[in-house]
Amino acid sequence: KQQIIINYMFGHPDSTVLLFPYSQNVAYINHHPTEYNTEVRWATDAPWIHHEEWLEKPVSFLEEQWQSGLMLEFIALRDIQPGEEVLINYGDEWQKAWDEHVKNWEPVPPEGDYNNLTLWTKTSEASSGEGYVRAELLNEDKETPLKTVEEQAEDPYPHSIQINCKVNVNHRSAYLFEIETVPFFSRNWEESTDFPADKEERHTHKCNVTERYEKGDREEEEDSSDDIGELDDDEEGDDNAG
């Protein structure tokens, strides 16, 4: 956990101080060693929040401060076009460490791979040459069926992937048959109820696909193509995104 936090901090080889920027956007600015278009500098026009004299203070002084006193600015080095990614240079030391990491990295053995990421993080014969698959790419794939619980027992998604369903669990049928069916009940998916036009009325819940069948295989359920079970009201997100 400490390493993850350090990855988002600013530091200097000649200082033991690490600065953690808490703006909600700066942590997403990526690195490029040569084609960066933005530079990080100390603020020059915000004396009420950037106290330049703090840069000369010892660490013991900074440890006693309980409010922000140093401000960084991201300055564009040229005109940045709409849709163009903002990039900064993380520095030679970071680049060297990254190159060393890539050179020496090896997949985690399957028996010790708790997150089941071995086949998803490095292109290999075992991963069919695909390597890591981004969650948004899975969302865009409308042709590949979602794996059922039984299928995932043999070929599971990594723990970074979560299946979610657009379904209204407050539908009256859940209460109508509550006595007989708790904690499960079954009904057809209804677009007007489960995916209404008003986005604020839509419900997204973590779920599992318990069964998959072709439309028409069940005459009594012609409007449904999946059986969804084990809904979890506490987690929300986009389909397939983890």
Side-chain angles (χ1 to χ4, degrees), residues 83-98:
E84 181 182 0
E85 183 176 5
V86 175
L87 297 168
I88 61 176
N89 184 356
Y90 289 0
D92 295 339
E93 186 177 7
W94 186 93
Q95 183 66 54
K96 181 180 179 181
W98 174 254

Side-chain angles (χ1 to χ4, degrees), residues 156-181:
Y157 291 118
H159 288 191
S160 58
I161 300 299
Q162 176 176 290
I163 298 178
N164 295 282
C165 303
K166 301 292 186 181
V167 60
N168 181 7
V169 297
N170 296 321
H171 189 276
R172 60 182 181 82
S173 63
Y175 302 97
L176 185 62
F177 303 106
E178 179 178 10
I179 297 177
E180 299 180 7
T181 61

Side-chain angles (χ1 to χ4, degrees), residues 40-51:
V40 182
R41 305 174 186 172
W42 292 117
T44 57
D45 57 354
W48 63 91
I49 194 171
H50 177 67
H51 305 295

Side-chain angles (χ1 to χ4, degrees), residues 135-188:
E136 54 263 37
L137 294 181
L138 293 177
N139 287 334
E140 294 172 1
D141 183 0
K142 306 301 182 182
E143 302 298 327
T144 305
L146 297 177
K147 298 177 183 178
T148 65
V149 175
E150 183 177 355
E151 291 169 338
Q152 288 193 62
E154 297 294 332
D155 184 21
Y157 291 118
H159 288 191
S160 58
I161 300 299
Q162 176 176 290
I163 298 178
N164 295 282
C165 303
K166 301 292 186 181
V167 60
N168 181 7
V169 297
N170 296 321
H171 189 276
R172 60 182 181 82
S173 63
Y175 302 97
L176 185 62
F177 303 106
E178 179 178 10
I179 297 177
E180 299 180 7
T181 61
V182 171
F184 299 105
F185 69 97
S186 176
R187 67 172 174 83
N188 288 345

